[in-house]
Amino acid sequence: MKEFEFIDRVMPDVPPLSPAQHAAARARLTEATAARPAARPASRPTGRTAGPAARRVRGRRPVARGWRGIALAAMAVVLVIGAVVLLVPSPGREQVASTPGQLLDAAAGKLAAQPQGSGRYWRLEIEEVVRTKGAEGFLVEERGKDVLVLGRDHDGYTWYEPVSAKPYGAEAAAAWRRAGSPKLCPARECDPKLRFYPARTLKRSLSLAPGWQPTLEQLLALPREATALRTELLRHVPLGYDQSPDDWVREAGIRLVKDVPATPGTRAAAYRMLAALPGARVVDDVRDPAGRRGVTLQLRVNDAVRVQLVIDPSSGELWAVQQVAPMPGLPRGAAAVASIVVRARWSDARPVPPPGCRGCRGRY
C-alpha cells in the first residue's frame, strides 16, 4: 500500500506518523473496505458460444475493475488524510493557557525568551505609591518617582522626586474638606527646596536579602532555572538568620524581579521559584494602581500581609509590586504600598542627576 508515501509527497510539512497513528489510520481503512458491497459471483459457463454483444460486455469488465480500484485508492487517501488531520497536532498552534498557574508559567516563558539587554548603564524608574492615615485621620495617597542607575563600571546614581499628595477616595476627600483642606505635600517636611534627594543607599544597591550582596558579575551569572536558583540563593543565607529559609528566598526573589538588573532568564526562574513557596497563589483578578489587570503572584508574608507581583501576561515583565494589608478606611484588597515599574532596561545613555541633589551619585 503506497498511500502513506503519497501523503509524504503531497504534505511534506506534516510530521511523520507514529506507529499508533499508522494503526488508527489503517483501522479506518479496513472498516471502510469491509463496508463496501460484495462482488457479484462469476456467471456459470453455459457451454454456449458468446456472441459479439456478449464479448463486448465482457471486454468492459476490466475497465470497471480499474475504475473501482482508483476509487478505492482515492478513498484510502481521503481516510489517511483524515487520520493525519485528526491525529497530528496543528503546527505552530500554542496550547492556550486557561488557569492562573498556566498563565504565570506562560508569562515566565515569554520573559525567559527575551534577550539580555546591552549597554553601559541599567536604569530603573519606579513610581512609588504610599497610602497612609494623615494627621487628621483621613487617608492620604503620596506618589513619587524613584530612579536608580547602575553602570558596568560600578558608578551609581539615585534620586527620589516627590510628585503629589492628596486624599485617597471620596470619603477621605470629604473628611479633608471638613478639616479645612489642610496643605498636603509629599516632600520631606513640606520643604519646597527639597525637590530631589536620594531614597536609596548606593552601596547596598545589589543587596538581595540580609547578609548577601552579590557583585554585578555574580548577579548576571545567577541560575535561570527555579530549583537551581533557590539552591544557589540558600547557599548565601548568613549564620544567625532568625527566620525561615522560605522567608529569605521570598525577600531575595522579590528583589531579583524588581530592584536589580538580573537577566530575563533569572527573573523568569524567580517567578517560578516564588510560586512554589508555601502559601503562594496565582490569581488573575487583581489590578495594579495604574488599573492594569495582569497575572498576579500573591505571596504570604504573615496572616495579615500579602505581597502581590502584578505581571504583564503578554511579555512576562513586572508591572508592579504591591503590599496588601488591613488599614482602617482602606478598601478591602487595595494596596497600602505599591511600586509601579515605569522602566527597567540597559542603555548607553549616561545619567545626569538633578541639579542640587546631594548624595545622588557614588560607587556601588
Side-chain angles (χ1 to χ4, degrees):
M1 187 180 296
K2 302 295 185 180
E3 292 86 354
F4 290 99
E5 295 179 8
F6 173 73
I7 293 299
D8 288 339
R9 291 196 302 270
V10 300
M11 300 176 68
D13 293 332
V14 176
L17 296 178
S18 67
Q21 290 169 335
H22 271 285
R26 291 183 184 277
R28 289 171 183 247
L29 180 58
T30 301
E31 291 175 5
T33 304
R36 76 174 189 268
R40 290 185 178 181
S43 301
R44 293 182 179 179
T46 60
R48 297 170 58 182
T49 303
R55 285 194 297 269
R56 285 196 299 270
V57 172
R58 291 193 188 103
R60 292 172 186 162
R61 288 182 179 174
V63 176
R65 285 196 297 270
W67 281 108
R68 187 184 302 122
I70 293 173
L72 289 175
M75 183 186 300
V77 170
V78 170
L79 289 171
V80 172
I81 291 176
V84 170
V85 172
L86 291 174
L87 299 175
V88 179
S90 300
R93 180 180 298 174
E94 295 182 359
Q95 183 179 0
V96 178
S98 57
T99 68
Q102 290 173 341
L103 290 172
L104 175 65
D105 193 61
K110 293 173 184 176
L111 177 61
Q114 294 186 23
Q116 168 64 12
S118 61
R120 295 172 58 196
Y121 300 97
W122 181 74
R123 185 182 183 106
L124 172 67
E125 295 181 14
I126 288 180
E127 182 180 358
E128 297 287 2
V129 181
V130 180
R131 294 159 181 161
T132 58
K133 282 280 189 179
E136 290 78 9
F138 52 83
L139 283 173
V140 176
E141 180 185 87
E142 297 183 5
R143 292 187 178 236
K145 180 181 178 182
D146 187 22
V147 177
L148 173 67
V149 184
L150 301 177
R152 293 187 186 272
D153 57 359
H154 297 282
D155 272 348
Y157 308 78
T158 185
W159 61 88
Y160 181 83
E161 177 185 5
V163 175
S164 65
K166 61 182 181 180
Y168 178 67
E171 184 178 338
W176 173 71
R177 288 190 293 268
R178 288 194 300 270
S181 303
K183 182 180 181 180
L184 302 175
C185 53
R188 290 178 178 174
E189 300 178 356
C190 290
D191 185 353
K193 297 181 180 179
L194 195 60
R195 186 178 175 187
F196 302 98
Y197 54 87
R200 299 170 181 259
T201 303
L202 279 174
K203 291 183 178 181
R204 299 187 60 193
S205 296
L206 296 183
S207 176
L208 292 183
W212 187 47
Q213 175 169 298
T215 65
L216 179 60
E217 293 72 22
Q218 289 173 329
L219 180 72
L220 295 175
L222 284 175
R224 306 181 185 188
E225 189 276 326
T227 303
L229 178 60
R230 177 185 171 91
T231 300
E232 176 61 24
L233 292 178
L234 289 176
R235 289 181 56 244
H236 302 279
V237 177
L239 293 175
Y241 182 72
D242 58 358
Q243 298 184 51
S244 72
D246 286 335
D247 289 334
W248 202 89
V249 166
R250 184 188 66 247
E251 184 171 349
I254 293 173
R255 292 269 299 162
L256 274 174
V257 299
K258 170 181 170 282
D259 290 308
V260 297
T263 66
T266 297
R267 286 183 283 136
Y271 286 158
R272 294 180 171 122
M273 176 188 71
L274 292 171
L277 290 175
R281 294 177 56 214
V282 182
V283 294
D284 60 356
D285 57 353
V286 173
R287 295 182 184 272
D288 72 352
R292 298 170 296 187
R293 179 174 172 176
V295 180
T296 299
L297 175 55
Q298 181 169 279
L299 307 172
R300 179 184 180 277
V301 178
N302 53 45
D303 291 340
V305 180
R306 303 289 185 272
V307 173
Q308 297 174 333
L309 277 60
V310 186
I311 300 164
D312 179 3
S314 65
S315 68
E317 292 289 353
L318 183 67
W319 272 345
V321 175
Q322 50 195 31
Q323 181 175 295
V324 178
M327 180 184 295
L330 192 66
R332 181 179 178 84
V337 179
S339 300
I340 305 171
V341 180
V342 178
R343 177 187 302 174
R345 67 187 183 195
W346 289 92
S347 76
D348 286 322
R350 188 179 186 87
V352 179
C357 184
R358 296 181 179 179
C360 295
R361 179 177 179 178
R363 301 283 290 176
Y364 71 94

